[in-house]
Amino acid sequence: MVAPSLIPNKAGDRVKTDRRDAIQLARLMRSGDLTPVDVPRVDDEAIRDLTRAREDTIRDLQAAKFRLQAFWLRHDFRYTGRATWSTAPLRWLSEVVGPTPAQPMVFPAYVRAVNDHTARLQRLEQALHEQVTSWRLPPVVAALQALRGVPCTVAVTTLAELGDLTRFDTPRQLMTCLGLMPSEYSSGERRRQGSITKTGNTHARRALVEGAWADQYPANVSRHLQLRLETPPKAIQDISWKAQVRLCKR
């Protein structure tokens, strides 16, 4: 299976027939100019839909929180506590009384939207953990969780988007699929590199970047990571520590 949008076309070619297309595809196949596309399995696509629904819920929850916070600022409602979205501020929100009859109608609607999205996110995460147990890749999920900053949701999202990792011959191919390779515009003796290309899978890249934020701190095995390291074998634990030391040093 190849990507139709990445098939090379000649500029100014106005004649299209099935015979000419077949000959052109055969030539491109022989020269290696066709880009293969991995077709996901049915169970992999189901897990991927579940992870993407979770991402959509997170975005909806953030938007609902932003609307509620904007309402606070407009009417000068200020919570003096520390935590912003724990049970204490939500209890305080239920006791807030607006100066006009319209505000008590708008304010609970915003609060109810935040509670609904939070409950939906919890249901999707619970369903995701339950479906992973019957998936075909639980050992790989457990192995990826040995890395620092890679909990279950990050590991499942990465595998659901990428599929079978053995289809990549080299780590460079994997980084290209994720869009994490640096952009380059070099000519002659001058070499100029820029930021990452961001041309790969956006969902997997977002999950990995979110997990990489944990490496801004010194190398350490936290309590949560220690619990995740109880299942994988000793070889995976050594790779996890080696990767953590290298990334934290960078």
Side-chain angles (χ1 to χ4, degrees):
M1 188 71 67
V2 298
S5 60
L6 299 180
I7 297 177
N9 294 318
K10 292 182 180 179
D13 189 2
R14 304 300 181 187
V15 180
K16 181 186 183 305
T17 63
D18 292 344
R19 181 180 178 83
R20 289 170 62 91
D21 291 345
I23 295 175
Q24 181 69 10
L25 289 174
R27 290 175 179 173
L28 294 174
M29 185 68 182
R30 182 177 58 184
S31 61
D33 292 332
L34 295 179
T35 303
V37 176
D38 180 67
V39 180
R41 297 174 50 172
V42 177
D43 53 347
D44 296 345
E45 193 170 6
I47 297 294
R48 187 181 63 183
D49 292 338
L50 195 57
T51 57
R52 291 187 179 182
R54 175 182 172 273
E55 292 182 8
D56 295 338
T57 306
I58 291 177
R59 284 193 291 268
D60 295 339
L61 178 59
Q62 291 176 346
K65 289 181 178 180
F66 289 155
R67 297 188 189 100
L68 183 56
Q69 287 179 336
F71 189 86
W72 293 357
L73 295 177
R74 287 198 306 267
H75 300 284
D76 199 21
F77 295 152
R78 301 185 181 275
Y79 177 66
T80 58
R82 294 183 179 180
T84 306
W85 299 108
S86 62
T87 57
L90 292 179
R91 191 183 310 111
W92 170 78
L93 290 176
S94 62
E95 299 175 356
V96 172
V97 179
T100 63
Q103 291 174 356
M105 299 177 60
V106 177
F107 196 76
Y110 284 149
V111 176
R112 187 164 52 252
V114 173
N115 295 332
D116 292 342
H117 292 313
T118 302
R120 181 157 62 101
L121 179 61
Q122 294 176 354
R123 291 195 301 268
L124 289 174
E125 289 183 347
Q126 182 180 359
L128 184 62
H129 286 79
E130 294 175 355
Q131 294 296 324
V132 168
T133 57
S134 59
W135 196 25
R136 66 183 182 92
L137 297 175
V140 186
V141 174
L144 287 179
Q145 291 185 71
L147 298 173
R148 183 183 182 182
V150 184
C152 181
T153 54
V154 175
V156 174
T157 301
T158 304
L159 290 177
E161 296 294 337
L162 297 179
D164 190 4
L165 298 180
T166 57
R167 64 188 179 94
F168 301 103
D169 296 332
T170 60
R172 184 179 294 271
Q173 293 182 359
L174 176 59
M175 295 299 101
T176 302
C177 179
L178 292 170
L180 296 176
M181 295 292 291
S183 58
E184 185 171 357
Y185 189 79
S186 303
S187 178
E189 298 180 355
R190 187 188 68 175
R191 186 183 183 188
R192 181 181 178 184
Q193 288 185 321
S195 59
I196 59 176
T197 58
K198 296 184 180 180
T199 57
N201 191 296
T202 58
H203 302 278
R205 183 174 64 250
R206 183 206 57 78
L208 292 177
V209 170
E210 180 181 343
W213 279 102
D215 294 317
Q216 63 178 322
Y217 305 105
N220 184 26
V221 179
S222 62
R223 186 178 66 88
H224 297 285
L225 182 58
Q226 185 63 37
L227 294 176
R228 299 203 303 264
L229 288 174
E230 294 178 354
T231 305
K234 183 66 167 54
I236 295 180
Q237 297 180 17
D238 296 339
I239 293 175
S240 171
W241 177 249
K242 181 179 178 181
Q244 183 179 166
V245 171
R246 179 175 61 87
L247 293 175
C248 293
K249 185 178 180 181
R250 281 181 174 271

